[in-house]
Amino acid sequence: MPEHVSLLMWFGVALPAALTFAAVIGMARIRRSLHLETAQQHPDQRLTALPPQPGTAPRRESVELTPAERDAFAGLMRRLGDGS
């Protein structure tokens, strides 16, 4: 131990370091126990607010376009593709 460092200075470093270490260990244990408790309380809980979803998708709708509508749509796509 260096001669110019008093015993109180060593306690001033060692005591906060030990308390910090103990606090970190304690918080880790608390977190682990809370995690285990919540995992045991809710093993497989489903959302009850949402209605059950049907197994099939809705029917797909389509509309036949006239040749004039197809040409207008193609012109629109060309204009949008050019960025103007």
Side-chain angles (χ1 to χ4, degrees):
M1 185 159 88
E3 298 169 3
H4 63 279
V5 178
S6 70
L7 190 60
L8 287 177
M9 285 182 162
W10 282 108
F11 280 126
V13 171
L15 185 64
L19 290 176
T20 302
F21 181 74
V24 168
I25 297 297
M27 286 189 286
R29 286 185 176 183
I30 291 171
R31 181 175 177 225
R32 188 180 324 128
S33 69
L34 288 176
H35 178 69
L36 291 175
E37 288 176 11
T38 55
Q40 290 173 355
Q41 289 176 357
H42 309 290
D44 188 27
Q45 187 178 19
R46 299 193 186 267
L47 296 176
T48 57
L50 298 174
Q53 301 296 312
T56 60
R59 185 175 59 88
R60 194 169 179 160
E61 297 180 11
S62 63
V63 176
E64 289 296 323
L65 298 177
T66 65
E69 290 172 331
R70 274 193 225 116
D71 291 340
F73 184 74
L76 177 66
M77 289 296 107
R78 278 193 297 275
R79 278 196 311 170
L80 290 175
D82 292 340
S84 46

